[in-house]
Amino acid sequence: MEIFRFDEEVSIPVSTFGSRFRIGPLTGDGSRVRVQVMHLPPDGRIGRHPTTVRQMFAVVEGKGVVSGSDGARREIHPNYAALWESGEEHDAHTQDGITAICIEGEFDVWAMEVTREIVVADYDPLWPSWYATVVSYVWPAVENIALRIDHVGSTSVPGLAAKPLIDMDIVVSNQKISVRLRNDWLRSAIADAGISV
């Protein structure tokens, strides 16, 4: 095993576009994505400019304000991320300082989107495969205590219009195990599998 640093002290200062922050690269340019840690100090900013590739700004500490092509300013804080598409004008500012993971390149977003409205959609024949994908991530975290995972809710009914969100029940054999499912242990195991609970 090797250990690497990406703190402010070893990060690279950036001042282009009127910016004031430091960046600590985690991966190189030869990767499919580039991952960096961005350290914006108090009153730090990422000046308004177009992205060159798809870019996600995932806040891990602090809070600030971000905007995209429409110029609308939105607050952002830990456990939330802004996604800007290639060529999109964007900026960020913080009064108190912010640390964020920046991912740039070609990647799929699996995080829960909070900016779109949930609408009822016509039945999508892909919903069963979405469910199968989610189960493939969750099952390893629960297989020692669960009997099965059932696809429930409106997306499980062929032909029925629904909100395009997959609901599922983890079926266990007794009440004692059911109580364990509510504990942090299982939530942690499922989160480790990359699923939001």
Side-chain angles (χ1 to χ4, degrees), residues 42-122:
D43 199 34
R45 69 184 64 250
I46 298 170
R48 191 150 187 88
H49 68 282
T51 62
T52 56
V53 294
R54 185 176 226 205
Q55 184 177 84
M56 178 177 278
F57 182 78
V59 177
V60 294
E61 185 177 75
K63 62 182 180 177
V65 178
V66 294
S67 73
S69 59
D70 64 1
R73 303 190 69 68
R74 298 195 55 187
E75 287 189 18
I76 194 165
H77 50 80
N79 303 314
Y80 283 77
L83 178 70
W84 297 296
E85 296 299 340
S86 180
E88 184 174 0
E89 290 280 336
H90 70 290
D91 63 1
H93 178 263
T94 178
Q95 288 183 347
D96 303 320
I98 201 168
T99 300
I101 303 295
C102 180
I103 304 164
E104 298 177 312
E106 297 176 29
F107 56 91
D108 294 327
V109 178
W110 282 36
M112 173 66 75
E113 187 174 356
V114 295
T115 56
R116 72 174 179 188
E117 292 185 33
I118 297 174
V119 296
V120 175
D122 289 335

Side-chain angles (χ1 to χ4, degrees), residues 8 10 13 22 26 31 38 50-51 53 60 82 105 109 111 120 132 138 140 148 161 169 185 187 197:
E8 264 185 276
V10 297
R22 299 179 75 83
L26 293 175
S31 307
M38 302 179 88
T51 62
V53 294
V60 294
V109 178
V120 175
V138 173
R148 67 182 185 274
D169 284 340
W185 167 82
R187 288 186 178 277
V197 292

